[in-house]
Amino acid sequence: MKRVIILGCCGSGKSTLALKLAEKINSEVIHLDTLFWKPGWVQSSSEEFIMRQESLLTGDKWIVDGNYHGTLDLRLEPADTVIYLDFPTSLCLYRIVKRRVMYQGKTRPDMAKDCPEKIDLEFFNYVRTFNRKKAPAIKKRLNNLEGKKVYLFKNSRQVEQFLHQI
């Protein structure tokens, strides 16, 4: 397990898992949100985002957390391990609201500089519909992977058991 990508709905715990796993296997963590967003919630161009990822994915050992479906193949190609957090929508919604309260007026450590935590209707609806609209395509893509170790976790207990076994 040297090149790991972690996927799942916002609020599923991708960044938390990335940090815990990095500690276990002594690896660098790459948060895609820090590569995509510029200060003040300004989006990077597709070209910038791709170049930033390409430069970091050349390393021998890394963990990348985040979805960004448009560049998923860029990460899947060099990855040897894929973890998908397939958690209930209600839990993800609860966690994004909790995160918003916890980081009110502040930027999370796994977010780009000067992007204070927020929830707008578009983001809320993205999380609310993720398991219905986005997850099926991701799962189909993961089912067709060859030569990669794929883990699918349905709850936090499974994630903790996985971490304990490493």
Side-chain angles (χ1 to χ4, degrees), residues 6-7 9-24 29-31 33 63-66 83 85 87 95 98-99 102-103 108-111 156 159-160 162-163:
I6 303 174
L7 306 168
C9 186
C10 305
S12 63
K14 296 181 301 292
S15 297
T16 301
L17 173 56
L19 294 172
K20 288 180 180 180
L21 183 58
E23 192 173 298
K24 289 265 193 185
V29 174
I30 302 166
H31 301 290
D33 283 338
I63 300 169
V64 177
D65 88 89
I83 299 172
L85 302 178
F87 287 12
R95 286 180 172 176
K98 179 181 171 185
R99 185 170 71 189
M102 198 159 117
Y103 288 100
R108 296 189 328 256
D110 58 323
M111 181 51 75
S156 298
V159 172
E160 290 304 320
F162 167 75
L163 288 169

Side-chain angles (χ1 to χ4, degrees), residues 9 67 69 84 86-87 89 121-141:
C9 186
N67 293 316
H69 308 288
Y84 183 73
D86 189 19
F87 287 12
T89 300
L121 187 57
E122 180 182 3
F123 178 62
F124 184 85
N125 282 328
Y126 176 82
V127 174
R128 187 178 62 80
T129 62
F130 184 90
N131 284 333
R132 188 174 68 246
K133 292 183 176 181
K134 300 286 185 188
I138 296 170
K139 290 177 189 176
K140 183 177 180 183
R141 179 76 174 97

Side-chain angles (χ1 to χ4, degrees), residues 7-162:
L7 306 168
C9 186
C10 305
S12 63
K14 296 181 301 292
S15 297
T16 301
L17 173 56
L19 294 172
K20 288 180 180 180
L21 183 58
E23 192 173 298
K24 289 265 193 185
I25 66 171
N26 192 28
S27 184
E28 167 191 13
V29 174
I30 302 166
H31 301 290
L32 290 182
D33 283 338
T34 64
L35 301 180
F36 182 75
W37 294 103
K38 296 179 183 180
W41 291 102
V42 174
Q43 295 181 12
S44 293
S45 70
S46 294
E47 295 80 19
E48 285 177 294
F49 188 45
I50 289 169
M51 285 184 355
R52 288 179 183 152
Q53 287 182 73
E54 286 175 336
S55 69
L56 294 171
L57 296 175
T58 59
D60 290 333
K61 200 169 190 185
W62 41 256
I63 300 169
V64 177
D65 88 89
N67 293 316
Y68 294 93
H69 308 288
T71 60
L72 179 58
D73 286 338
L74 185 68
R75 297 182 304 282
L76 279 175
E77 180 66 32
D80 59 42
T81 305
V82 180
I83 299 172
Y84 183 73
L85 302 178
D86 189 19
F87 287 12
T89 300
S90 57
L91 178 62
C92 295
L93 287 170
Y94 168 76
R95 286 180 172 176
I96 66 163
V97 170
K98 179 181 171 185
R99 185 170 71 189
R100 168 64 174 89
V101 170
M102 198 159 117
Y103 288 100
Q104 184 172 345
K106 297 182 249 177
T107 300
R108 296 189 328 256
D110 58 323
M111 181 51 75
K113 181 179 164 83
D114 296 326
C115 291
E117 189 64 22
K118 67 176 184 172
I119 297 178
D120 57 20
L121 187 57
E122 180 182 3
F123 178 62
F124 184 85
N125 282 328
Y126 176 82
V127 174
R128 187 178 62 80
T129 62
F130 184 90
N131 284 333
R132 188 174 68 246
K133 292 183 176 181
K134 300 286 185 188
I138 296 170
K139 290 177 189 176
K140 183 177 180 183
R141 179 76 174 97
L142 298 183
N143 284 336
N144 294 324
L145 286 179
E146 293 181 15
K148 314 228 183 263
K149 184 68 180 165
V150 178
Y151 296 92
L152 186 137
F153 299 119
K154 295 263 187 199
N155 57 55
S156 298
R157 185 175 57 246
Q158 290 177 339
V159 172
E160 290 304 320
Q161 288 171 345
F162 167 75

